[in-house]
Structures are given as structure tokens and as C-alpha cells.
Amino acid sequence: MAGICLIRLGGVRPAFLPAIGGLRSENAAHRIAVEWDDGGTAREGVFIPRRDTNSVLNRVAGGRIFPGDHHSAKFRVSEAAGCFELEMRSDDGITIVCVKARVTDKLPTGSIFHSLEQASDFFQSGALGWSSRSQENTFDGLELHCEQWRMEPLAVEKVESSFFQDAKIFPAGSVKFDSAFLMRDIAHEWHARGRLAVKTTAI
């Protein structure tokens, strides 16, 4: 399972500062569900090969002050009466994402998820993400903590991603759209989970 997490962050601030003001930004993270062994314990989370943002602070501080390298991108977003349209284009021309969707009360026919509860449990288990860094085989850990976990299904009219449509990464026919969900007005915190260096062995 893989997907794109489109995130509008509002009131961003360090935890020790009062909840007044804060920064706002549009962000996108391409995510791939993964499992790994941690000292004999099976863990679940996501691998994030790329993060994009319209925030200069996120781009400059990402990978330095807080986890995850970020690429500069421009976002065009519109919302009206439960309908959403988003277009993102990275400044390096590598990543393009387009989505048009509306809030609904049911999952799409044929979804791998049999219920909203099952989908919610799956995404909640992927709250820990490991993001690629410029250094090869090195990853930053970041975990999402929400005061509430509340999801709504979306009926998607249009979805495009240059990442998932890249035949050099995903051969033709290997990617199929499944479903989309919305989380809004959720108070949350992000917690750094250190840095992971993976050793490779030559064969």
C-alpha cells in the first residue's frame, strides 16, 4: 500500500511555546507502508521517499532542526462546501500532484478496506514515518500523535501523481487507485524519533 499524504499545517510551533499564532504551510509526503523487525518485535509504519512543501522554514530546517529533507513546491488549493481541489508542482519539476475530491459517507466500491474503521486502523498504525535524507541509506524518524483520530471518506473525481505514474519506478499496470480520506481540525503533535542508518552488504 502506498499513497500521498497532503497536509495543511496551521499554528505550527515548538511544544514549549503558547498556542498563539504559529506558522501555516501546505505539504505533501509520498508514503509507502512498511513493516520491520525491531529487536524481535514486528513494527509498522511508512517509508517516505519524498517530502514537498511551500514553506521556506520547512525546507531550510528540514533534516537539520526537525526531521526530514523537504523540497520546495508551489500549491494551489481551493475548498468549497465539502469539495476540494489541489495542484502541487515541485520547483525542481520532478513531482506533480493533482486531486479533485468531495466528502462522502461511504467507501468506493471495490476498495481493499471493508469499512471506515478498518481503514482508520490501518492509517493510524502508520503514524511513524522514516524519511529519506540526502545521505544514502540514512533516514529521519517522525511520529504523529493526534488528540483524536477522525477520518472521513472522499469521493475522488481526479487524481494524478508523477511519482506513481513513473514507469521506471512502478511498471505499467502495477499501480491502482483505491481510496482517499480526509482528516480536518485535528489537534496534533510531531515527535522526532531519531535517525536510522542502514548498513548495506556487497554481494
Side-chain angles (χ1 to χ4, degrees):
M1 291 288 288
I4 310 167
C5 187
L6 301 169
I7 314 165
R8 171 175 291 166
L9 296 176
V12 178
R13 60 182 175 80
F16 57 82
L17 293 180
I20 300 174
L23 302 175
R24 174 170 167 163
S25 63
E26 302 284 353
N27 307 269
H30 286 75
R31 300 155 37 105
I32 301 170
V34 294
E35 293 183 346
W36 69 94
D37 180 81
D38 184 3
T41 301
R43 300 286 304 278
E44 295 182 19
V46 292
F47 164 57
I48 304 171
R50 183 176 173 103
R51 292 183 181 272
D52 291 275
T53 183
N54 69 349
S55 167
V56 174
L57 176 62
N58 290 357
R59 181 165 50 85
V60 172
R64 299 176 178 87
I65 299 175
F66 56 81
D69 290 346
H70 291 66
H71 300 269
S72 179
K74 293 179 176 62
F75 289 74
R76 186 167 56 103
V77 184
S78 63
E79 304 176 24
C83 296
F84 304 86
E85 288 191 53
L86 178 143
E87 180 180 304
M88 184 208 81
R89 294 180 179 269
S90 64
D91 291 351
D92 59 16
I94 293 176
T95 306
I96 299 173
V97 175
C98 298
V99 178
K100 183 177 181 180
R102 56 182 172 79
V103 176
T104 184
D105 59 358
K106 58 185 178 181
L107 300 180
T109 303
S111 172
I112 193 172
F113 300 113
H114 300 300
S115 67
L116 180 60
E117 181 181 12
Q118 184 185 38
S120 182
D121 289 344
F122 173 79
F123 287 105
Q124 192 168 9
S125 68
L128 173 59
W130 292 99
S131 301
S132 292
R133 291 179 51 80
S134 55
Q135 296 94 330
E136 188 174 0
N137 299 320
T138 306
F139 309 91
D140 281 340
L142 190 64
E143 189 168 11
L144 172 64
H145 287 190
C146 295
E147 291 186 7
Q148 294 179 311
W149 190 273
R150 184 175 64 253
M151 292 173 41
E152 303 170 78
L154 289 174
V156 175
E157 300 173 19
K158 176 183 178 181
V159 58
E160 296 178 6
S161 164
S162 58
F163 180 75
F164 291 117
Q165 292 169 343
D166 186 345
K168 291 180 293 185
I169 303 174
F170 303 97
S174 64
V175 175
K176 180 182 178 182
F177 175 77
D178 184 87
S179 52
F181 302 91
L182 174 69
M183 295 180 69
R184 50 184 167 179
D185 302 325
I186 303 291
H188 62 279
E189 295 181 349
W190 298 90
H191 295 264
R193 289 296 179 253
R195 188 162 293 169
L196 177 66
V198 178
K199 295 181 180 180
T200 58
T201 304
I203 298 177

